[in-house]
Amino acid sequence: MTKLLSAEKALKIVLNNVHILNEEKVHLTEGLNRILAENIYASENLPPFFNSAMDGYAVKAKDTKSATSGRPAILKLVEDLPAGNLPTKKIKTGETIKIMTGAILPTGADAVVRVEDTKEVITSSYKKNGETRVKIYQSVSKDENIRQIGEDVKKGELVLKKGKLIRAQEIALLAALGREWVKVYRQPLVAILTTGDELVEIKEKLNPGKIRDSNSYMLFAETLNAGGIPLRYGIIPDKEDILENKLREAIRSADLLLTSAGVSVGEYDLVKKCLLKLGFRLRFHTLAIRPGKPLLFGLLKNKPVFGLPGNPVSAMVTFKMFVRPAILKMRGQNDYSLPRGEAIIEEKVVKKEGIKYYLRGKLGKVNSKFYVRTTGPQGSGIISSLTNADCLVVLPEGKTVLNKGEKVEILFL
């Protein structure tokens, strides 16, 4: 009997046969969740000038040295400075300028007193000269409440590395540096074909022997989640000529091809046969995993092709474990794995030796420890076992029994 390929070896084969796609420039508004294809160096300092970190009064720190709540320092107000405006006056000893957060620091000032520690005063004697005085109730040190030039980013600094995932915070930094366009790796176009005479579209009424096509919609969503661009080709009947033409059409348009069903050994499992007629180079077909044993992978016109099982649970698990990493690599991402953890299993599980199991699990947490139990029946056609799950429970090949209370690996969904 031929030994089945392990999940680890299969993933290595997949990743060795897929390659990062070419680069493209996109507008910053389209950069979210894309992968940088260039190093980003700061073209200027951030902030580019000394500015106030809060609303208050720009002062010479030495003028506030003896200020207390009982004996405030009293300074002459010479200007009101909103953010975005340039000061017209320099601060001299005994003077202050009212300043808003983000406003440029006036010449002569070396600190800012927050507005909560001050009070503006207009007395009759000040009014006569059109003057306002400010009482300062708290001393400040030099540079206090001042944002320094380049304290965020210094000109010439490498701020974002090639391969970085662009999140909202990276977009903020790029915008602050004036980068309207950014170079990223292209997202793979993923063709999705579901096969089977038993399938009908979701809007159709079910006749005896028919089921609705759920896989193409699930794979469409999973492709979006992985950062690909899904192209849904609909339901393909179990007819060689139609399937062959659709495969030929799809591989011309897409970077990666996904089929669902038709990859087992039944009389109507035609996907492998049609692919081989088109020049498909098979890399593997069956794996030592459950669910998802009949997983097909290879290359057609140097593009990766996955033939996923038809059962919805098998299709989703194999997508997450093998297709998702392929899409992530193609779009330039470096980390392909699902988030992992450890939990204590709350039930006894018996399994077949030599096969890695991916059970659907529901997590709980007690005293900082994760506990997990299965979501119920684990049949590969039970979609609710996925909707009720927040993790996959990984059971290694070498074990046949896991007892309640044992530690298990989990993959967060």
Side-chain angles (χ1 to χ4, degrees), residues 121-239:
V121 179
I122 302 176
T123 65
S124 55
S125 61
Y126 298 151
K127 265 185 179 180
K128 187 167 56 177
N129 298 318
E131 295 177 355
T132 300
R133 294 293 192 273
V134 179
K135 289 186 176 181
I136 308 293
Y137 296 102
Q138 177 68 49
S139 64
V140 287
S141 304
K142 186 179 178 182
D143 295 328
E144 191 167 338
N145 300 323
I146 292 175
R147 295 170 180 156
Q148 303 295 312
I149 293 173
E151 75 172 21
D152 184 358
V153 167
K154 289 182 171 54
K155 184 177 179 179
E157 180 183 349
L158 175 61
V159 291
L160 296 174
K161 289 185 178 181
K162 183 178 180 178
K164 176 81 172 174
L165 174 68
I166 301 175
R167 304 166 296 171
Q169 47 268 55
E170 280 75 32
I171 285 179
L173 180 57
L174 289 163
L177 290 169
R179 293 295 298 259
E180 184 181 4
W181 296 86
V182 62
K183 192 183 291 185
V184 296
Y185 292 107
R186 191 165 60 78
Q187 295 172 280
L189 297 169
V190 179
I192 300 169
L193 291 76
T194 48
T195 67
D197 288 338
E198 74 278 16
L199 299 177
V200 297
E201 282 291 352
I202 58 173
K203 62 186 177 183
E204 293 184 30
K205 182 180 178 180
L206 290 182
N207 292 317
K210 301 293 184 179
I211 58 172
R212 294 188 182 92
D213 171 26
S214 61
N215 278 2
S216 70
Y217 292 92
M218 178 270 291
L219 295 172
F220 192 101
E222 286 284 7
T223 297
L224 285 175
N225 273 338
I229 300 174
L231 307 172
R232 186 173 173 270
Y233 279 75
I235 300 167
I236 316 301
D238 291 323
K239 292 181 173 58

Side-chain angles (χ1 to χ4, degrees), residues 77-379:
L77 182 63
V78 297
E79 190 174 5
D80 197 335
L81 184 60
N85 288 20
L86 293 176
T88 61
K89 298 182 182 296
K90 297 180 180 179
I91 291 182
K92 301 174 184 175
T93 299
E95 293 180 340
T96 185
I97 289 179
K98 190 173 186 177
I99 192 168
M100 299 298 108
T101 303
I104 192 168
L105 191 71
T107 301
D110 59 10
V112 172
V113 180
R114 61 179 190 161
V115 70
E116 297 91 329
D117 296 324
T118 66
K119 182 179 180 182
E120 288 189 13
V121 179
I122 302 176
T123 65
S124 55
S125 61
Y126 298 151
K127 265 185 179 180
K128 187 167 56 177
N129 298 318
E131 295 177 355
T132 300
R133 294 293 192 273
V134 179
K135 289 186 176 181
I136 308 293
Y137 296 102
Q138 177 68 49
S139 64
V140 287
S141 304
K142 186 179 178 182
D143 295 328
E144 191 167 338
N145 300 323
I146 292 175
R147 295 170 180 156
Q148 303 295 312
I149 293 173
E151 75 172 21
D152 184 358
V153 167
K154 289 182 171 54
K155 184 177 179 179
E157 180 183 349
L158 175 61
V159 291
L160 296 174
K161 289 185 178 181
K162 183 178 180 178
K164 176 81 172 174
L165 174 68
I166 301 175
R167 304 166 296 171
Q169 47 268 55
E170 280 75 32
I171 285 179
L173 180 57
L174 289 163
L177 290 169
R179 293 295 298 259
E180 184 181 4
W181 296 86
V182 62
K183 192 183 291 185
V184 296
Y185 292 107
R186 191 165 60 78
Q187 295 172 280
L189 297 169
V190 179
I192 300 169
L193 291 76
T194 48
T195 67
D197 288 338
E198 74 278 16
L199 299 177
V200 297
E201 282 291 352
I202 58 173
K203 62 186 177 183
E204 293 184 30
K205 182 180 178 180
L206 290 182
N207 292 317
K210 301 293 184 179
I211 58 172
R212 294 188 182 92
D213 171 26
S214 61
N215 278 2
S216 70
Y217 292 92
M218 178 270 291
L219 295 172
F220 192 101
E222 286 284 7
T223 297
L224 285 175
N225 273 338
I229 300 174
L231 307 172
R232 186 173 173 270
Y233 279 75
I235 300 167
I236 316 301
D238 291 323
K239 292 181 173 58
E240 278 189 48
D241 57 338
I242 298 176
L243 177 55
E244 190 176 325
N245 286 334
K246 279 291 184 181
L247 290 170
R248 187 182 289 111
E249 178 189 344
I251 204 66
R252 279 198 299 261
S253 305
D255 301 300
L256 183 151
L257 177 58
L258 280 183
T259 68
S260 170
V263 294
S264 195
V265 292
E267 184 179 346
Y268 293 98
D269 292 321
L270 304 173
V271 170
K272 181 180 175 182
K273 182 178 180 181
C274 289
L275 284 170
L276 288 171
K277 286 171 69 177
L278 295 174
F280 178 67
R281 289 177 287 151
L282 179 67
R283 291 292 182 262
F284 60 75
H285 193 177
T286 50
L287 303 183
I289 63 171
R290 182 177 293 178
K293 177 183 175 182
L295 174 66
L296 182 75
F297 174 73
L299 300 175
L300 179 59
K301 298 190 182 301
N302 292 318
K303 297 177 181 180
V305 176
F306 290 88
L308 306 184
N311 284 318
V313 175
S314 300
M316 188 168 184
V317 169
T318 51
F319 184 99
K320 287 188 175 295
M321 301 310 301
F322 304 101
V323 184
R324 177 180 174 273
I327 293 174
L328 293 180
K329 181 175 180 179
M330 292 174 79
R331 70 190 291 265
Q333 203 157 323
N334 297 317
D335 183 10
Y336 318 125
S337 59
L338 288 168
R340 297 171 183 268
E342 191 177 70
I344 297 169
I345 196 162
E346 294 189 288
E347 59 195 287
K348 182 179 178 179
V349 178
V350 178
K351 62 176 285 292
K352 186 177 178 180
E353 188 176 9
I355 303 292
K356 177 176 278 191
Y357 282 39
Y358 297 96
L359 305 181
R360 278 70 70 206
K362 184 70 177 175
L363 286 169
K365 200 171 187 181
V366 179
N367 297 328
S368 301
K369 288 184 179 180
F370 280 116
Y371 290 81
V372 66
R373 61 171 49 252
T374 63
T375 55
Q378 295 289 300

Side-chain angles (χ1 to χ4, degrees), residues 8-78:
E8 292 76 17
K9 287 182 180 178
L11 180 58
K12 187 175 181 179
I13 291 170
V14 168
L15 293 176
N16 285 340
N17 281 275
V18 299
H19 307 286
I20 299 175
L21 297 177
N22 55 311
E23 305 161 357
E24 63 179 354
K25 276 193 173 182
V26 298
H27 192 268
L28 194 55
T29 54
E30 299 173 340
L32 185 65
N33 292 326
R34 302 295 294 274
I35 306 297
L36 269 176
E38 60 178 328
N39 288 325
I40 302 294
Y41 293 89
S43 55
E44 56 198 59
N45 291 310
L46 288 183
F49 50 83
F50 294 107
N51 69 86
S52 179
M54 57 185 59
D55 294 345
Y57 293 85
V59 299
K60 290 182 179 291
K62 65 181 182 180
D63 285 344
T64 71
K65 187 177 180 180
S66 60
T68 65
S69 57
R71 298 186 63 183
I74 300 175
L75 304 177
K76 178 183 176 181
L77 182 63
V78 297

Side-chain angles (χ1 to χ4, degrees), residues 369-397:
K369 288 184 179 180
F370 280 116
Y371 290 81
V372 66
R373 61 171 49 252
T374 63
T375 55
Q378 295 289 300
S380 57
I382 302 176
I383 300 175
S384 61
S385 73
L386 289 167
T387 61
N388 294 326
D390 50 21
C391 70
L392 293 176
V393 183
V394 183
L395 307 182
E397 295 95 325

